[in-house]
């Protein structure tokens, strides 16, 4: 057995190691600088209480992107030196972000051990490869992302760090083979266990959903299915769940081999980047040669995001969470006794609000970032939640969960079609959405992303928007000078959230303009990029009249888009004449 020694290595701080909404994300070449990753990991250990480090069990895995394998070995050596008792690593270093949350919450080691936290190595939906992005974040004992109190400590530590601890003579662990590697050091035994990436997660999914009813749906010759992992970590789960457990054809799976560079693509499940799936589902500029499948879905790099498609039909994430919430009790066994409450992020459309109001459910509007949902869930206040950025989930874990969302939709389709599988026509994704709009009204909604804009220009834009909110009269004068068919702004603010559970206050969470007819404009700086700034503009209009809910979304929103661009002087501040992505 290898006996390791602890070395204290001198280091100096790096600028800019502030964790965003989902950890620290930078280019790979930044993380490859000597001591860069080491500084952040040590700063994280130092931000945690002693009992969460000394003698603890930690999970270390991620989406498999470039530099992950190197990072895992570094963290294993540093964890040993910091007194961690054991490390759990998914086979080949692969664990989806929702699976990490599941493992923290559900997995029990052979010796009865439970994980108290995890380092997740992912930059989520950002590209991977030697010249692309890498990321790291820490999740807590509830399975959710570290709260701001911890990430603020981590950041403070990165600015003052002088040394880190590492077991340099610890040999690299083979993470390609399931098994336990044992070491010993100054504080006793240290184990690294490599385990199956999917088994814990699959068992959790089987406890939530009625797999038998989904199997019957997938077995119907009238129902066709397609799932695109975009060469992300979802591929490690797709074959096991959709093919082996649910009986889908293997030909239903697209890009389900995880790759360090995501096959050269951008693993973001939207209409711009999931090109192959979009084309197959009949939503591309050219028509597919074959009839599109009835149902399609995609995942991002770490499998916490999802995109839901019907045949020639796109479901907005805002509608998706509302439809899941409206149908969950009847369709999903886990929710059969009712929902505790629902929640959405502030920029997400108000479609979920209307469902909550109609079903008399507790409702919460929170800042962007899953940790805010986690607090509500831990307090028993929320069952289902979602973000417009393709994130949907429930209280089964404390992360958004892309495969869970797909299984939720398949469950709804199975329920709606339980008496139709032998009939002439199935109830389709489009049918379900149109039924929902007829019942609750439609929130026309779009998001414009301006990626990698100059950070200084982005900050000037946000400051300008805050300043003009002081005079709604001036705001409405600009609006009427642009479009007479857009109603007046009746309220405007910079969103601030007081957590009902712990009383913490989160400020500067996005700039809102609220119109008399229920329309909204929201401007927000995203914290998920690795360089520059990403400005997100959210545009929403609510229509209750069912005769008007089938209009083209971009056409319906065109007047508000024009007003948003004029009001914000977005081109003037950013130099951009068009967004990078429109969703």
């Amino acid at each position: 057995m290898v006996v390791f020694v602890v070395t204290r290595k001198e280091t100096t701080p790096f600028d800019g190691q502030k964790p965003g909404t989902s950890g620290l994300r930078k280019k790979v070449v930044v993380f490859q600088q000597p001591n860069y990753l080491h500084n952040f990991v040590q700063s994280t250990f130092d931000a945690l209480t002693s009992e969460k480090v000394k003698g603890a069990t930690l999970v270390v895995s991620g989406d498999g992107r470039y530099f992950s394998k190197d990072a895992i070995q570094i963290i294993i050596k540093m964890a040993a030196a910091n007194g961690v008792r054991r490390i759990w690593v998914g086979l080949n270093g692969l664990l989806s972000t929702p699976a990490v949350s599941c493992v923290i919450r559900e997995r029990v080691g052979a010796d009865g051990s439970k994980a108290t936290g995890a380092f997740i190595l992912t930059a989520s939906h950002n590209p991977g490869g030697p010249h692309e992005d890498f990321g790291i974040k820490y999740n807590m004992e509830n399975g959710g992302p570290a709260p701001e109190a911890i990430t603020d400590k981590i950041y403070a530590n990165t600015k003052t760090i002088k040394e880190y601890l590492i077991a340099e003579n610890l040999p690299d662990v083979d993470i390609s083979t399931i098994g336990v590697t044992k070491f010993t050091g100054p504080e006793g035994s240290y184990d690294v266990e490599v385990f199956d990436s999917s088994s814990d997660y699959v068992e959790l999914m089987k406890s939530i959903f009625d797999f038998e009813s989904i199997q019957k749906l997938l077995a119907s010759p009238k129902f066709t299915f397609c799932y695109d992992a975009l060469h992300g970590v979802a591929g490690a789960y797709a074959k096991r769940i959709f093919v082996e457990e649910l009986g889908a054809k293997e030909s239903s799976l697209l890009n389900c081999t995880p790759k360090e560079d995501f096959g050269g693509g951008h693993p973001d499940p939207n209409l711009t980047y999931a090109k192959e799936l979009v084309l197959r589902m009949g939503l591309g500029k050219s028509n597919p040669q074959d009839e599109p499948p009835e149902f399609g879905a995609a995942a991002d790099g770490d499998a916490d995001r999802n995109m839901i498609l019907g045949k020639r039909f796109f479901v907005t994430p805002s509608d998706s969470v509302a439809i899941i919430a409206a149908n969950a009790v009847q369709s999903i066994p886990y929710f059969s006794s009712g929902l505790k409450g629902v929640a959405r992020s502030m920029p997400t459309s108000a479609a979920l609000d209307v469902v909550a109001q109609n079903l008399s459910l507790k409702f919460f509007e929170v800042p962007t970032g899953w940790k805010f949902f986690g607090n509500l869930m831990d307090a028993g206040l929320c069952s289902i939640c979602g973000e417009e950025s393709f994130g949907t989930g429930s209280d089964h874990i404390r992360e958004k969960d892309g495969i869970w969302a797909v299984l939720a939709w398949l469950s709804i389709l199975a329920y709606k079609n339980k008496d139709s599988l032998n009939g002439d026509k199935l109830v389709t994704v489009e049918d379900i959405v149109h039924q929902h709009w007829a019942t609750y009204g439609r929130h026309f909604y779009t998001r414009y992303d301006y990626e990698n804009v100059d950070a200084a220009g982005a900050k000037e834009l946000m400051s300008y928007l805050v300043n003009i909110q002081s005079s709604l009269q001036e705001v409405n004068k600009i609006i009427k000078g642009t479009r007479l068919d857009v109603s007046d702004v009746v309220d405007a603010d910079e969103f601030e959230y007081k957590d009902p559970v712990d009383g913490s206050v989160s400020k500067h969470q996005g700039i809102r303009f609220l119109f008399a007819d229920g329309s909204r404009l929201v401007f927000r700086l995203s914290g998920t990029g690795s360089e520059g700034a990403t400005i997100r503009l959210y545009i929403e209009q609510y229509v209750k009249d069912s005769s008007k809910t089938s209009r083209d979304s971009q056409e319906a929103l065109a007047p508000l888009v024009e007003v948003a661009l004029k009001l914000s002087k977005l081109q003037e501040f950013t130099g951009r004449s068009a967004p990078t992505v429109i969703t």
Side-chain angles (χ1 to χ4, degrees):
M1 183 185 292
V2 172
V3 178
F4 64 84
V5 295
V6 175
T7 305
R8 293 180 176 271
K9 305 282 285 188
E10 286 188 12
T11 189
T12 54
F14 289 89
D15 289 335
Q17 287 197 316
K18 182 176 176 62
T21 50
S22 292
L24 179 66
R25 295 180 186 173
K26 302 287 181 184
K27 293 296 181 188
V28 166
V29 291
V30 174
F31 272 99
Q32 288 175 324
Q33 296 174 92
N35 295 352
Y36 190 90
L37 175 64
H38 302 70
N39 278 19
F40 188 81
V41 172
Q42 188 63 54
S43 295
T44 302
F45 282 134
D46 293 343
L48 300 171
T49 56
S50 178
E51 65 267 21
K52 288 185 171 60
V53 180
K54 302 288 185 183
T57 298
L58 299 181
V59 184
V60 182
S61 286
D63 60 17
R65 66 180 54 236
Y66 189 87
F67 190 61
S68 292
K69 290 175 180 173
D70 296 327
I72 288 169
Q73 301 297 341
I74 290 168
I75 296 169
I76 287 172
K77 292 176 173 65
M78 291 188 66
N82 278 275
V84 172
R85 171 64 182 83
R86 62 185 67 76
I87 293 287
W88 291 345
V89 182
L91 185 63
N92 295 313
L94 296 175
L95 278 175
S96 72
T97 293
V100 171
S101 187
C102 164
V103 165
I104 293 172
R105 295 172 64 82
E106 304 287 337
R107 190 170 196 267
V108 180
D111 57 358
S113 55
K114 291 269 292 178
T116 60
F119 285 99
I120 307 181
L121 307 176
T122 177
S124 189
H125 54 291
N126 295 8
H131 305 291
E132 295 295 350
D133 296 346
F134 185 75
I136 179 170
K137 70 172 185 170
Y138 191 82
N139 277 33
M140 305 299 285
E141 65 272 18
N142 71 341
E148 288 182 333
I150 297 294
T151 56
D152 287 347
K153 279 185 187 175
I154 294 171
Y155 180 47
N157 291 344
T158 68
K159 295 191 286 187
T160 59
I161 189 169
K162 293 177 180 171
E163 65 176 17
Y164 62 83
L165 308 182
I166 190 166
E168 286 186 300
N169 71 318
L170 201 74
D172 284 357
V173 175
D174 180 6
I175 60 173
S176 67
T177 304
I178 289 174
V180 181
T181 307
K182 294 182 175 291
F183 305 99
T184 189
E187 298 186 45
S189 300
Y190 178 61
D191 300 341
V192 180
E193 180 180 354
V194 179
F195 65 101
D196 181 84
S197 299
S198 60
S199 56
D200 298 284
Y201 180 78
V202 172
E203 287 309 306
L204 180 60
M205 292 302 104
K206 290 172 78 171
S207 74
I208 294 170
F209 299 102
D210 181 352
F211 271 39
E212 189 177 334
S213 71
I214 300 173
Q215 285 170 346
K216 289 177 183 174
L217 176 71
L218 294 180
S220 169
K222 294 197 291 286
F223 187 81
T224 41
F225 166 82
C226 186
Y227 184 76
D228 189 346
L230 295 176
H231 287 303
V233 74
Y237 304 88
K239 184 176 178 183
R240 174 80 182 273
I241 292 174
F242 298 124
V243 177
E244 295 176 16
E245 295 284 350
L246 294 172
K249 295 176 182 174
E250 199 153 349
S251 58
S252 304
L253 305 184
L254 284 177
N255 305 313
C256 280
T257 302
K259 294 184 177 180
E260 287 188 334
D261 65 350
F262 305 110
H266 192 142
D268 195 352
N270 59 41
L271 295 172
T272 300
Y273 294 126
K275 297 182 180 71
E276 191 174 349
L277 177 67
V278 166
L279 185 63
R280 185 177 285 202
M281 295 303 297
L283 286 161
K285 291 178 181 175
S286 58
N287 291 323
Q289 293 178 330
D290 301 319
E291 181 72 0
E294 288 295 329
F295 179 82
D300 69 334
D302 65 332
D304 62 351
R305 298 185 180 207
N306 72 94
M307 176 169 67
I308 303 296
L309 302 172
K311 182 187 292 184
R312 304 184 188 93
F313 190 82
F314 168 66
V315 183
T316 73
S318 296
D319 279 345
S320 181
V321 66
I323 290 166
I324 291 172
N327 291 279
V329 173
Q330 299 91 340
S331 306
I332 301 169
Y334 181 82
F335 300 113
S336 59
S337 61
L339 302 181
K340 299 165 189 169
V342 294
R344 64 165 174 84
S345 66
M346 182 275 287
T348 302
S349 96
L352 185 61
D353 311 34
V354 180
V355 171
Q357 188 175 5
N358 275 262
L359 300 182
S360 300
L361 296 170
K362 287 193 187 92
F363 168 78
F364 303 90
E365 180 182 33
V366 308
T368 297
W370 215 258
K371 53 197 166 194
F372 299 104
F373 295 131
N375 259 12
L376 297 172
M377 290 172 178
D378 286 346
L381 296 173
C382 177
S383 295
I384 290 175
C385 57
E387 295 181 336
E388 50 67 41
S389 53
F390 296 85
T392 325
S394 91
D395 60 352
H396 67 291
I397 55 171
R398 296 297 180 268
E399 289 278 6
K400 49 184 170 271
D401 191 344
I403 289 177
W404 174 92
V406 174
L407 291 171
W409 265 93
L410 288 173
S411 298
I412 293 167
L413 283 161
Y415 176 77
K416 298 278 189 184
N417 285 290
K418 64 182 187 296
D419 301 319
S420 314
L421 292 178
N422 298 317
D424 294 332
K425 186 181 182 298
L426 292 178
V427 177
T428 66
V429 170
E430 186 172 358
D431 292 337
I432 290 170
V433 175
H434 282 285
Q435 287 167 10
H436 185 87
W437 291 341
T439 304
Y440 298 102
R442 181 179 181 184
H443 292 260
F444 288 98
Y445 185 83
T446 190
R447 185 179 100 190
Y448 282 28
D449 288 1
Y450 297 81
E451 296 175 352
N452 294 329
V453 301
D454 176 68
K459 285 180 182 175
E460 285 177 19
L461 166 66
M462 300 303 277
S463 296
Y464 167 75
L465 289 169
V466 170
N467 288 336
I468 65 169
Q469 286 184 338
S470 62
S471 174
L472 293 189
Q473 185 178 357
E474 185 62 30
V475 167
N476 287 319
K477 185 178 175 183
I478 296 169
I479 290 170
K480 293 306 178 194
T482 308
R483 296 285 304 219
L484 291 172
D485 55 348
V486 171
S487 69
D488 284 349
V489 169
V490 292
D491 197 9
D493 65 3
E494 191 170 13
F495 183 59
E496 185 173 298
Y497 176 69
K498 183 175 181 180
D499 195 301
V501 179
D502 62 19
S504 62
V505 176
S506 300
K507 300 182 178 183
H508 311 299
Q509 294 297 316
I511 294 164
R512 305 189 295 182
F513 294 87
L514 311 177
F515 293 74
D517 64 354
S519 299
R520 292 195 314 162
L521 296 179
V522 175
F523 297 83
R524 189 178 148 267
L525 291 181
S526 169
T528 61
S530 64
E531 60 182 3
T534 294
I535 298 168
R536 288 190 169 149
L537 162 60
Y538 311 84
I539 302 155
E540 174 183 356
Q541 185 171 35
Y542 178 56
V543 175
K544 183 74 174 88
D545 184 346
S546 58
S547 68
K548 296 179 180 177
T549 56
S550 295
R551 290 179 68 196
D552 175 75
S553 182
Q554 293 300 325
E555 177 192 323
L557 291 168
L560 269 176
V561 170
E562 192 176 337
V563 163
L565 298 178
K566 181 76 171 180
L567 182 67
S568 65
K569 299 184 179 179
L570 208 146
Q571 183 171 352
E572 189 177 314
F573 281 107
T574 67
R576 299 288 181 87
S577 59
T580 315
V581 179
I582 296 177
T583 304

